[in-house]
Amino acid sequence: MIDLKNLTIEKAHESFKKGEYASRDLVEEYLKVIKEKNKELNAYLEVYEDVLKQADEADKKFKNGTASELTGIPFAIKDNILFEGHIASAGSKILENYTASYDSFVMRELRKAGAVIIGRTNMDEFAMGSSTQTSAYGVSRNPHDTSRLPGGSSGGSAAAVAADMALVALGTETCGSVREPAAFCGLVGLKPTYGAVSRNGIIAMGNSLDQVAPFGKNVRDAEIIFNFLSKYDKEDSTSIPDKSRVLDTRQKEGAGGGCIGVPWHLFEKGVDPAVMENFKQSMEKFKKAGYEIVDIELPFSKYSLEAYYIIMPAEVSTNLARFDGIRYGFSVQNDKEINNLKDIYMKSRGRGFGKEARRRILLGTYVLSHGYYDAYYNKAVKVREKVKREIIEAFKKVDLIATPTAPMPAFKIGEKLDDPVAMYLCDIFSAPANLAGVPSIALPSGMTKENLPLSIQFMAPHFGEEALLKAGKEFEKIR
Ligand code: GLN
């Protein structure tokens, strides 16, 4: 029996190297847990048939000396990450039978490294949501309390790792979709600097915001995955070339040190008391460990969510235009009501997309339409720039910015479903990092009385991942 609960990439790698067990043995353990738990948790939409074959290939790499640190490591992958020859549905009916014709950049890197891809995980449709409730394939459940949700949109990936159905996972973030489920499931989630990890082969939601991000049970696991994936990719026009991958020089001198800025004014209201209490205690712990905690003001950041919910739907309406019932996926063609091409478009999109996707396409089309473009889209873009500038400015004074990760712990199935704005508010603390493109990490910080995970998050300047990981590791010792 392998102790899956306390397993990390480093421990598994050591065991593979020493021959204590092989990747095949480890994968078989995970498959047992999947068999036992996935029916209830619905974390995986599909477990790949060739997973043991992948493990055998990995074991060969150890024998012939070509193994890397990720060789044989079992990953769960969000359903919007293309893996050649496998279905990638983005949690949507419209892509139910869409098979990827090429590997995404991150899959190419993972496969080169010899990682084992166990399967694809459930998500909110096209990554729109904070709970997996907009998935066309049913909700995922939170392993800590199965009457609750694992967060979203990468909820399936988070549930898979938290329930020991994979050692680690990949999700994607447009606005908190890795950090919030990490918070709800008691995991570490690391959202990289925008442009650090290639988006090539990720089913787009909002291109100017989307990023691939790892989940792990500890900071080191997230770090190892990030280091493998953070590379320039000439096939992604927003991938940042190596020579520009430098820590923002405008930041505080001697950064990477111990000055944490807290924008208290952003969470005066609307935060669950258990989250607030835990956040304060966590800051106290940093203070005792020698960190300086200072109050900072981010006056524009309080409009982040508003700006996000204009920019993102604008990009969604453009990106989702390609799903027209002709070029890709689900198509209504043999219906009595179809008389012409327009009917095919309308019926395919009307039936293929769920309610939230349709809502965002309409919102996005509206804010980009003539007469409203300046009033909404252009204004939101200006707010985004203000948010970005004030965050960069803040990093002249502090090394890190801390907030709670989400305003509440995991909520119940069915909750917030009829109130989109209540659901959107889950991302209130995530949005500034996504708008500004800076990296951010979610760190487990304790449990509520009901035994639900709590989490704090840090932001750092562009390419300041090292500072996030350093603070995260420190917190693992003192929390
Ligand atoms: N929850 C947010 C939304 O609904 C963000 C989703 C994401 O990060 N992919 O848009």
Side-chain angles (χ1 to χ4, degrees):
M1 275 287 277
I2 302 166
D3 177 11
L4 298 181
K5 201 143 209 62
N6 295 306
L7 197 63
T8 62
I9 294 178
E10 280 175 344
K11 280 189 200 165
H13 182 70
E14 273 309 299
S15 297
F16 296 157
K17 258 194 349 209
K18 286 192 199 139
E20 287 168 357
Y21 51 80
S23 173
R24 174 179 258 270
D25 303 319
L26 180 59
V27 170
E28 279 174 349
E29 294 277 318
Y30 283 117
L31 291 176
K32 268 190 237 156
V33 184
I34 292 169
K35 205 165 165 202
E36 181 195 327
K37 294 187 180 167
N38 194 53
K39 217 174 164 139
E40 183 182 20
L41 297 178
N42 194 30
Y44 285 102
L45 295 177
E46 181 183 356
V47 173
Y48 299 134
E49 276 174 7
D50 68 342
V51 41
L52 288 173
K53 214 173 102 204
Q54 292 182 47
D56 289 340
E57 289 299 316
D59 289 330
K60 268 190 222 149
K61 282 180 181 273
F62 276 94
K63 292 212 176 81
N64 67 23
T66 57
S68 77
E69 205 168 9
L70 288 188
T71 303
I73 298 297
F75 271 75
I77 299 290
K78 190 177 181 180
D79 192 28
N80 60 352
I81 299 176
L82 300 195
F83 181 10
E84 189 180 345
H86 297 77
I87 287 176
S89 80
S92 179
K93 182 173 168 185
I94 213 159
L95 286 177
E96 193 170 10
N97 297 312
Y98 169 69
T99 303
S101 55
Y102 66 100
D103 267 340
S104 52
F105 175 87
V106 292
M107 284 306 299
R108 227 161 39 218
E109 290 302 310
L110 288 188
R111 294 176 76 194
K112 232 175 15 201
V116 175
I117 314 303
I118 296 189
R120 61 187 172 96
T121 56
N122 197 21
M123 58 183 279
D124 283 293
E125 184 175 12
F126 284 101
M128 299 174 191
S130 310
S131 67
T132 74
Q133 291 184 111
T134 70
S135 168
Y137 306 102
V139 301
S140 297
R141 288 171 188 266
N142 191 317
H144 291 272
D145 174 348
T146 54
S147 70
R148 291 174 191 269
L149 295 151
S153 61
S154 316
S157 285
V161 176
D164 294 322
M165 298 199 283
L167 178 51
V168 286
L170 289 188
T172 61
E173 269 224 13
T174 308
C175 180
S177 273
V178 164
R179 284 169 290 156
E180 187 243 22
F184 284 10
C185 293
L187 303 172
V188 172
L190 173 65
K191 184 208 90 76
T193 305
Y194 183 81
V197 178
S198 171
R199 293 182 298 109
N200 174 17
I202 307 304
I203 298 175
M205 177 188 180
N207 309 41
S208 76
L209 299 150
D210 297 342
Q211 278 294 276
V212 179
F215 288 100
K217 281 183 300 205
N218 67 6
V219 174
R220 178 70 185 135
D221 280 2
E223 178 178 27
I224 293 171
I225 301 168
F226 171 72
N227 287 341
F228 265 89
L229 300 182
S230 172
K231 285 192 184 110
Y232 173 62
D233 174 19
K234 64 178 184 342
E235 288 169 39
D236 171 2
S237 61
T238 56
S239 175
I240 296 180
D242 292 335
K243 62 175 186 324
S244 308
R245 292 179 175 238
V246 282
L247 193 65
D248 198 317
T249 47
R250 285 166 293 189
Q251 69 154 16
K252 186 171 174 276
E253 223 176 295
C259 183
I260 300 172
V262 182
W264 293 104
H265 68 101
L266 288 183
F267 38 101
E268 272 158 1
K269 302 192 285 266
V271 179
D272 183 282
V275 170
M276 199 63 198
E277 191 48 39
N278 173 268
F279 179 76
K280 283 183 188 156
Q281 283 170 4
S282 302
M283 289 306 112
E284 278 306 311
K285 287 176 187 165
F286 273 104
K287 207 164 162 183
K288 272 200 196 124
Y291 283 69
E292 187 190 351
I293 314 287
V294 301
D295 197 351
I296 57 166
E297 297 275 332
L298 299 174
F300 282 101
S301 291
K302 70 169 181 284
Y303 303 113
S304 297
L305 206 58
E306 285 86 342
Y308 169 74
Y309 274 97
I310 291 173
I311 294 167
M312 171 275 299
E315 296 185 16
V316 160
S317 73
T318 317
N319 277 321
L320 269 50
R322 65 174 70 101
F323 304 108
D324 55 7
I326 303 287
R327 281 175 283 193
Y328 288 92
F330 179 77
S331 180
V332 180
Q333 298 207 8
N334 303 321
D335 195 294
K336 280 200 284 303
E337 296 157 51
I338 302 285
N339 294 310
N340 51 38
L341 185 62
K342 193 172 154 212
D343 286 345
I344 298 181
Y345 291 153
M346 301 222 346
K347 297 252 179 317
S348 302
R349 285 168 70 78
R351 295 181 201 166
F353 287 129
K355 201 167 156 189
E356 186 61 27
R358 280 178 283 142
R359 179 184 288 130
R360 294 190 191 200
I361 291 169
L362 288 173
L363 268 175
T365 310
Y366 180 78
V367 300
L368 289 178
S369 59
H370 182 68
Y372 295 103
Y373 189 94
D374 279 333
Y376 293 102
Y377 183 72
N378 262 349
K379 212 180 247 173
V381 169
K382 283 180 195 155
V383 172
R384 177 185 197 166
E385 195 53 34
K386 292 271 189 198
V387 170
K388 186 173 169 185
R389 283 194 208 168
E390 81 179 0
I391 288 176
I392 289 172
E393 198 59 27
F395 285 125
K396 287 182 182 164
K397 296 186 216 94
V398 299
D399 303 303
L400 297 162
I401 295 173
T403 66
T405 306
M408 76 291 279
F411 48 90
K412 295 246 185 201
I413 294 172
E415 232 179 273
K416 305 188 201 298
L417 205 48
D418 299 325
D419 185 352
V421 175
M423 187 69 86
Y424 299 168
L425 284 170
C426 298
D427 304 314
I428 190 137
F429 302 129
S430 316
N434 298 91
L435 287 185
V438 297
S440 178
I441 195 167
L443 302 165
S445 57
M447 301 298 261
T448 65
K449 281 206 274 310
E450 300 80 25
N451 230 13
L452 300 172
L454 291 161
S455 173
I456 60 164
Q457 86 176 349
F458 285 117
M459 285 188 263
H462 295 99
F463 289 103
E465 279 85 354
E466 216 178 299
L468 295 178
L469 296 163
K470 191 173 153 209
K473 287 180 194 165
E474 178 72 24
F475 193 47
E476 285 178 334
K477 288 185 224 143
I478 59 174
R479 71 170 172 228

